[in-house]
Each structure stands twice: as structure tokens, then as C-alpha cells.
mmCIF file of all heavy atoms in Angstrom:
data_model
loop_
_atom_site.group_PDB
_atom_site.id
_atom_site.type_symbol
_atom_site.label_atom_id
_atom_site.label_comp_id
_atom_site.label_asym_id
_atom_site.label_seq_id
_atom_site.Cartn_x
_atom_site.Cartn_y
_atom_site.Cartn_z
ATOM 1 N N ILE D 1 -8.290 99.444 -85.368
ATOM 2 C CA ILE D 1 -8.432 98.736 -83.963
ATOM 3 C C ILE D 1 -8.182 97.251 -84.218
ATOM 4 O O ILE D 1 -7.484 96.737 -83.295
ATOM 5 C CB ILE D 1 -9.921 99.008 -83.537
ATOM 6 C CG1 ILE D 1 -9.972 100.534 -83.158
ATOM 7 C CG2 ILE D 1 -10.151 98.200 -82.233
ATOM 8 C CD1 ILE D 1 -9.165 101.046 -82.076
ATOM 9 N N GLU D 2 -8.648 96.598 -85.244
ATOM 10 C CA GLU D 2 -8.451 95.264 -85.455
ATOM 11 C C GLU D 2 -6.878 94.890 -85.447
ATOM 12 O O GLU D 2 -6.539 93.928 -84.894
ATOM 13 C CB GLU D 2 -9.183 94.805 -86.633
ATOM 14 C CG GLU D 2 -9.118 93.326 -86.976
ATOM 15 C CD GLU D 2 -9.901 92.824 -88.053
ATOM 16 O OE1 GLU D 2 -10.303 93.749 -88.857
ATOM 17 O OE2 GLU D 2 -10.290 91.670 -88.180
ATOM 18 N N ALA D 3 -6.082 95.687 -86.208
ATOM 19 C CA ALA D 3 -4.681 95.496 -86.246
ATOM 20 C C ALA D 3 -4.045 95.766 -84.961
ATOM 21 O O ALA D 3 -3.045 95.002 -84.609
ATOM 22 C CB ALA D 3 -4.150 96.404 -87.335
ATOM 23 N N SER D 4 -4.524 96.792 -84.154
ATOM 24 C CA SER D 4 -3.736 97.165 -82.948
ATOM 25 C C SER D 4 -4.089 96.122 -81.753
ATOM 26 O O SER D 4 -3.211 96.031 -80.932
ATOM 27 C CB SER D 4 -4.314 98.529 -82.571
ATOM 28 O OG SER D 4 -5.612 98.522 -82.091
ATOM 29 N N GLN D 5 -5.182 95.387 -81.990
ATOM 30 C CA GLN D 5 -5.518 94.372 -80.961
ATOM 31 C C GLN D 5 -4.466 93.369 -80.921
ATOM 32 O O GLN D 5 -4.124 92.719 -79.926
ATOM 33 C CB GLN D 5 -6.833 93.862 -81.234
ATOM 34 C CG GLN D 5 -7.939 94.820 -80.879
ATOM 35 C CD GLN D 5 -9.318 94.350 -81.324
ATOM 36 O OE1 GLN D 5 -10.340 94.737 -80.834
ATOM 37 N NE2 GLN D 5 -9.342 93.323 -82.271
ATOM 38 N N ARG D 6 -3.754 93.056 -82.090
ATOM 39 C CA ARG D 6 -2.766 91.940 -82.110
ATOM 40 C C ARG D 6 -1.464 92.399 -81.484
ATOM 41 O O ARG D 6 -0.646 91.591 -81.075
ATOM 42 C CB ARG D 6 -2.578 91.564 -83.604
ATOM 43 C CG ARG D 6 -3.815 90.928 -84.370
ATOM 44 C CD ARG D 6 -3.373 90.328 -85.641
ATOM 45 N NE ARG D 6 -3.065 91.324 -86.593
ATOM 46 C CZ ARG D 6 -3.914 91.825 -87.450
ATOM 47 N NH1 ARG D 6 -5.244 91.414 -87.374
ATOM 48 N NH2 ARG D 6 -3.627 92.692 -88.455
ATOM 49 N N THR D 7 -1.223 93.719 -81.411
ATOM 50 C CA THR D 7 0.045 94.229 -80.823
ATOM 51 C C THR D 7 -0.113 94.850 -79.528
ATOM 52 O O THR D 7 0.794 95.267 -78.851
ATOM 53 C CB THR D 7 0.621 95.245 -81.831
ATOM 54 O OG1 THR D 7 -0.261 96.441 -81.966
ATOM 55 C CG2 THR D 7 0.860 94.613 -83.118
ATOM 56 N N GLY D 8 -1.385 94.939 -79.070
ATOM 57 C CA GLY D 8 -1.639 95.513 -77.763
ATOM 58 C C GLY D 8 -1.635 97.052 -77.748
ATOM 59 O O GLY D 8 -1.204 97.635 -76.600
ATOM 60 N N GLN D 9 -1.705 97.618 -78.871
ATOM 61 C CA GLN D 9 -1.448 99.194 -78.982
ATOM 62 C C GLN D 9 -2.863 99.832 -79.392
ATOM 63 O O GLN D 9 -2.861 100.766 -80.160
ATOM 64 C CB GLN D 9 -0.513 99.430 -80.107
ATOM 65 C CG GLN D 9 0.917 98.999 -79.877
ATOM 66 C CD GLN D 9 1.575 99.573 -78.655
ATOM 67 O OE1 GLN D 9 1.433 100.765 -78.534
ATOM 68 N NE2 GLN D 9 2.275 98.904 -77.929
ATOM 69 N N THR D 10 -3.975 99.324 -78.736
ATOM 70 C CA THR D 10 -5.221 99.958 -78.939
ATOM 71 C C THR D 10 -5.294 101.470 -78.586
ATOM 72 O O THR D 10 -5.934 102.247 -79.368
ATOM 73 C CB THR D 10 -6.327 99.208 -78.160
ATOM 74 O OG1 THR D 10 -6.238 97.827 -78.476
ATOM 75 C CG2 THR D 10 -7.737 99.685 -78.465
ATOM 76 N N ALA D 11 -4.817 101.758 -77.429
ATOM 77 C CA ALA D 11 -4.721 103.203 -77.139
ATOM 78 C C ALA D 11 -4.018 104.119 -78.086
ATOM 79 O O ALA D 11 -4.489 105.212 -78.544
ATOM 80 C CB ALA D 11 -4.217 103.461 -75.766
ATOM 81 N N GLU D 12 -2.858 103.568 -78.660
ATOM 82 C CA GLU D 12 -2.123 104.400 -79.618
ATOM 83 C C GLU D 12 -2.930 104.532 -80.976
ATOM 84 O O GLU D 12 -2.999 105.503 -81.564
ATOM 85 C CB GLU D 12 -0.788 103.664 -79.905
ATOM 86 C CG GLU D 12 0.141 104.442 -80.895
ATOM 87 C CD GLU D 12 0.490 105.851 -80.473
ATOM 88 O OE1 GLU D 12 0.520 106.132 -79.226
ATOM 89 O OE2 GLU D 12 0.699 106.601 -81.373
ATOM 90 N N ALA D 13 -3.515 103.340 -81.351
ATOM 91 C CA ALA D 13 -4.337 103.446 -82.491
ATOM 92 C C ALA D 13 -5.632 104.438 -82.396
ATOM 93 O O ALA D 13 -5.918 105.160 -83.317
ATOM 94 C CB ALA D 13 -4.893 102.105 -82.796
ATOM 95 N N LEU D 14 -6.142 104.539 -81.171
ATOM 96 C CA LEU D 14 -7.200 105.491 -80.996
ATOM 97 C C LEU D 14 -6.684 106.861 -81.065
ATOM 98 O O LEU D 14 -7.414 107.847 -81.606
ATOM 99 C CB LEU D 14 -7.906 105.121 -79.606
ATOM 100 C CG LEU D 14 -8.742 103.933 -79.482
ATOM 101 C CD1 LEU D 14 -9.061 103.605 -78.036
ATOM 102 C CD2 LEU D 14 -9.986 103.996 -80.331
ATOM 103 N N ARG D 15 -5.475 107.183 -80.492
ATOM 104 C CA ARG D 15 -5.018 108.521 -80.524
ATOM 105 C C ARG D 15 -4.634 108.906 -81.992
ATOM 106 O O ARG D 15 -4.889 110.035 -82.466
ATOM 107 C CB ARG D 15 -3.601 108.618 -79.748
ATOM 108 C CG ARG D 15 -3.910 108.861 -78.233
ATOM 109 C CD ARG D 15 -2.673 109.152 -77.510
ATOM 110 N NE ARG D 15 -1.687 108.054 -77.621
ATOM 111 C CZ ARG D 15 -1.653 107.147 -76.697
ATOM 112 N NH1 ARG D 15 -2.441 107.078 -75.682
ATOM 113 N NH2 ARG D 15 -0.696 106.221 -76.812
ATOM 114 N N GLN D 16 -4.016 108.043 -82.812
ATOM 115 C CA GLN D 16 -3.747 108.282 -84.191
ATOM 116 C C GLN D 16 -5.036 108.506 -84.916
ATOM 117 O O GLN D 16 -5.102 109.460 -85.782
ATOM 118 C CB GLN D 16 -2.954 107.194 -84.750
ATOM 119 C CG GLN D 16 -1.562 106.964 -84.192
ATOM 120 C CD GLN D 16 -0.813 105.809 -84.884
ATOM 121 O OE1 GLN D 16 -1.326 104.979 -85.614
ATOM 122 N NE2 GLN D 16 0.493 105.696 -84.461
ATOM 123 N N HIS D 17 -6.066 107.739 -84.769
ATOM 124 C CA HIS D 17 -7.354 107.999 -85.448
ATOM 125 C C HIS D 17 -7.952 109.419 -85.029
ATOM 126 O O HIS D 17 -8.494 110.023 -85.911
ATOM 127 C CB HIS D 17 -8.357 106.883 -85.185
ATOM 128 C CG HIS D 17 -9.507 106.908 -86.137
ATOM 129 N ND1 HIS D 17 -9.476 106.394 -87.481
ATOM 130 C CD2 HIS D 17 -10.779 107.387 -86.007
ATOM 131 C CE1 HIS D 17 -10.564 106.590 -87.996
ATOM 132 N NE2 HIS D 17 -11.430 107.118 -87.144
ATOM 133 N N ALA D 18 -7.890 109.733 -83.785
ATOM 134 C CA ALA D 18 -8.357 111.073 -83.328
ATOM 135 C C ALA D 18 -7.529 112.185 -84.095
ATOM 136 O O ALA D 18 -8.199 113.103 -84.375
ATOM 137 C CB ALA D 18 -8.324 111.177 -81.748
ATOM 138 N N ALA D 19 -6.223 112.079 -84.189
ATOM 139 C CA ALA D 19 -5.436 112.968 -84.856
ATOM 140 C C ALA D 19 -5.852 113.028 -86.329
ATOM 141 O O ALA D 19 -5.936 114.141 -87.011
ATOM 142 C CB ALA D 19 -3.931 112.740 -84.708
ATOM 143 N N TYR D 20 -6.185 111.842 -86.854
ATOM 144 C CA TYR D 20 -6.542 111.909 -88.394
ATOM 145 C C TYR D 20 -7.925 112.621 -88.487
ATOM 146 O O TYR D 20 -8.025 113.331 -89.433
ATOM 147 C CB TYR D 20 -6.789 110.422 -88.757
ATOM 148 C CG TYR D 20 -7.376 110.223 -90.080
ATOM 149 C CD1 TYR D 20 -6.682 110.406 -91.198
ATOM 150 C CD2 TYR D 20 -8.729 109.824 -90.208
ATOM 151 C CE1 TYR D 20 -7.260 110.087 -92.471
ATOM 152 C CE2 TYR D 20 -9.212 109.623 -91.440
ATOM 153 C CZ TYR D 20 -8.454 109.850 -92.599
ATOM 154 O OH TYR D 20 -9.092 109.637 -93.890
ATOM 155 N N LEU D 21 -8.867 112.392 -87.611
ATOM 156 C CA LEU D 21 -10.123 113.099 -87.718
ATOM 157 C C LEU D 21 -9.934 114.522 -87.437
ATOM 158 O O LEU D 21 -10.653 115.478 -88.055
ATOM 159 C CB LEU D 21 -11.143 112.544 -86.690
ATOM 160 C CG LEU D 21 -11.585 111.050 -86.932
ATOM 161 C CD1 LEU D 21 -12.521 110.559 -85.740
ATOM 162 C CD2 LEU D 21 -12.257 110.955 -88.256
ATOM 163 N N THR D 22 -9.032 114.875 -86.631
ATOM 164 C CA THR D 22 -8.758 116.452 -86.402
ATOM 165 C C THR D 22 -8.191 116.974 -87.611
ATOM 166 O O THR D 22 -8.691 118.140 -88.083
ATOM 167 C CB THR D 22 -7.821 116.606 -85.237
ATOM 168 O OG1 THR D 22 -8.238 116.020 -84.059
ATOM 169 C CG2 THR D 22 -7.411 118.064 -85.019
ATOM 170 N N TRP D 23 -7.396 116.259 -88.455
ATOM 171 C CA TRP D 23 -6.812 116.771 -89.623
ATOM 172 C C TRP D 23 -8.012 116.891 -90.770
ATOM 173 O O TRP D 23 -7.962 117.939 -91.429
ATOM 174 C CB TRP D 23 -5.801 115.787 -90.190
ATOM 175 C CG TRP D 23 -5.275 116.187 -91.614
ATOM 176 C CD1 TRP D 23 -4.331 117.169 -91.969
ATOM 177 C CD2 TRP D 23 -5.764 115.540 -92.820
ATOM 178 N NE1 TRP D 23 -4.268 117.134 -93.290
ATOM 179 C CE2 TRP D 23 -4.980 116.222 -93.837
ATOM 180 C CE3 TRP D 23 -6.641 114.546 -93.067
ATOM 181 C CZ2 TRP D 23 -5.108 115.795 -95.151
ATOM 182 C CZ3 TRP D 23 -6.765 114.241 -94.487
ATOM 183 C CH2 TRP D 23 -6.010 114.843 -95.459
ATOM 184 N N LEU D 24 -8.796 115.890 -90.764
ATOM 185 C CA LEU D 24 -9.972 116.052 -91.711
ATOM 186 C C LEU D 24 -10.824 117.164 -91.407
ATOM 187 O O LEU D 24 -11.339 117.986 -92.358
ATOM 188 C CB LEU D 24 -10.887 114.792 -91.632
ATOM 189 C CG LEU D 24 -10.288 113.518 -92.402
ATOM 190 C CD1 LEU D 24 -11.377 112.462 -92.221
ATOM 191 C CD2 LEU D 24 -10.193 113.931 -93.863
ATOM 192 N N THR D 25 -11.086 117.510 -90.099
ATOM 193 C CA THR D 25 -11.958 118.706 -89.711
ATOM 194 C C THR D 25 -11.184 119.964 -90.168
ATOM 195 O O THR D 25 -11.811 120.883 -90.681
ATOM 196 C CB THR D 25 -12.233 118.634 -88.249
ATOM 197 O OG1 THR D 25 -12.822 117.408 -87.866
ATOM 198 C CG2 THR D 25 -12.996 119.753 -87.856
ATOM 199 N N GLY D 26 -9.912 120.030 -89.912
ATOM 200 C CA GLY D 26 -9.191 121.164 -90.356
ATOM 201 C C GLY D 26 -9.183 121.419 -91.872
ATOM 202 O O GLY D 26 -9.244 122.552 -92.348
#
């Protein structure tokens, strides 16, 4: 989130992290 705030891509960073957590659960 800290890195995405500099580029204005907070929503994309959240989506990628959700996908990462989905992979961990799988």
C-alpha cells in the first residue's frame, strides 16, 4: 500500500494482495 500510494494504484495493490492471500489459502 505504501508503494502504491506514490503511483495512485491503491486499488490494484489491494486486488493483487487479495489474489496473493487466495493463493496462500489454496
Side-chain angles (χ1 to χ4, degrees):
I1 296 299
E2 187 174 16
S4 67
Q5 289 171 160
R6 295 191 291 266
T7 60
Q9 299 293 324
T10 302
E12 181 63 25
L14 289 168
R15 276 193 298 272
Q16 290 179 354
H17 193 80
Y20 171 78
L21 294 177
T22 301
W23 173 80
L24 278 182
T25 302

